[in-house]
Amino acid sequence: SKAKKEEIKAKESSESLNSFIKENSNIINFFNNEDNLDKTIHIIEDIDDIGGDLDNDNINNNKIRENEDGYVRLARKAMDTYVKTGGELLVPDNLPKDSPDDLLNRRAGAFVSLHIDGRLRGCRGTIAATKDNLAKEIVANAISACSTDPRFSPVTERELDLIEISVDVLGEAQAIASPEELDPQRYGVIVSRGMRRGLLLPMLDGIDTVEEQIAIAKRKAGIGEYEDCSLQRFEVVRHE
C-alpha cells in the first residue's frame, strides 16, 4: 500500500542519515565545538583577505604599467619577451606604441634596474653606447638585467607582473680632479685604475655621501680602499 511504501522510504532515509552521521562523526563533532567553528570562520576570512590582497596587487601592478614611459615600456617588453620565449625583442619593428623618437635617433649608455617590493632584483647596463641606437641598448640591458646579473638567479615568468623597472640614460662622462665635484644625488661616478673600472649610479637609496659612493664604486672595480684612482662624473635621466 501507499502508506507502507512511505514507511519503508522513511526508514531507509533514517538509516542513511544514521549511517552518514556515524561515518562523519569526527567532522560533526569538530564543528559542534564553538572554538573550532570560530577558527574555521577565521581561516575563511583570512583566505578572503588574501584574495583581496592579490586583487589589490593586480590593480597596483596595472597602475604601475599605465604610468610607465616609453623607455620603461620598451625595457619591460624586452624582458617579458626574453623570459617567455628566450628570444630578443627586435627593434624598430616591435617598439611600443608612441615611443619617443630619441630611442632610434640617439646613442647613449643606459642601465636597466629591476625591483620587487623595493628590493633589487637585477641591474645591468653600459657606461657608453655599444649599440646602433638607444632602443637596442635598452633591449640588450633589459635582457641582461633579468638573466645574467651574477648576484641573482634569472627572472621567472611568475615574477614578471611583480617587477618594477627603471631605465637610466647616461650623459657624457666628465673627468674631475676632486671628490668635491661629486654629489651622489646628482652625479653618478666612474672610478678607474688601469684596466679596472667601476660605476655607481646617482640617486640610490642608502647612498648619502660622496665617500660611500666612491667606496662602493671602487669595490665593484676591484680597486683597493687605499689605492689611488681617477674619477669621472656623469648625469642621468631616470625613467620609471
Side-chain angles (χ1 to χ4, degrees), residues 14-32:
S14 177
E15 290 175 350
S16 297
L17 179 59
N18 290 334
S19 177
F20 175 83
I21 292 172
K22 184 177 180 180
E23 292 174 359
N24 297 278
S25 59
N26 290 336
I27 296 174
I28 293 169
N29 290 334
F30 178 89
F31 285 109
N32 280 336

Side-chain angles (χ1 to χ4, degrees), residues 68 72 75-76 78-80 83 111-124 138 141-149 151-156 159-160 162-168 201:
E68 290 174 345
V72 177
R76 185 177 294 283
M79 177 185 69
D80 288 357
V83 172
F111 274 73
V112 176
S113 302
L114 314 178
H115 290 83
I116 295 180
D117 293 332
R119 295 188 296 273
L120 187 66
R121 185 61 181 84
C123 179
R124 301 292 275 176
I138 291 172
N141 291 330
I143 292 173
S144 293
C146 74
S147 63
T148 66
D149 188 326
R151 297 168 293 179
F152 305 97
S153 59
V155 169
T156 62
E159 292 178 290
L160 292 178
L162 304 175
I163 289 178
E164 297 179 18
I165 300 175
S166 62
V167 177
D168 288 303
L201 295 170

Side-chain angles (χ1 to χ4, degrees), residues 64-162:
I64 289 170
R65 290 188 179 228
E66 287 174 4
N67 294 329
E68 290 174 345
D69 70 8
Y71 298 82
V72 177
R73 284 189 284 117
L74 175 60
R76 185 177 294 283
K77 192 172 183 180
M79 177 185 69
D80 288 357
T81 299
Y82 183 81
V83 172
K84 291 178 180 179
T85 71
E88 180 178 339
L89 184 75
L90 299 179
V91 293
D93 294 345
N94 295 295
L95 281 178
K97 186 178 179 181
D98 300 326
S99 292
D101 295 338
D102 206 30
L103 287 172
L104 295 178
N105 298 335
R106 180 184 175 189
R107 298 182 72 237
F111 274 73
V112 176
S113 302
L114 314 178
H115 290 83
I116 295 180
D117 293 332
R119 295 188 296 273
L120 187 66
R121 185 61 181 84
C123 179
R124 301 292 275 176
T126 43
I127 295 174
T130 62
K131 304 294 181 182
D132 295 338
N133 53 54
L134 186 52
K136 291 183 178 180
E137 203 80 37
I138 291 172
V139 168
N141 291 330
I143 292 173
S144 293
C146 74
S147 63
T148 66
D149 188 326
R151 297 168 293 179
F152 305 97
S153 59
V155 169
T156 62
E157 190 168 344
R158 65 185 299 180
E159 292 178 290
L160 292 178
D161 286 338
L162 304 175

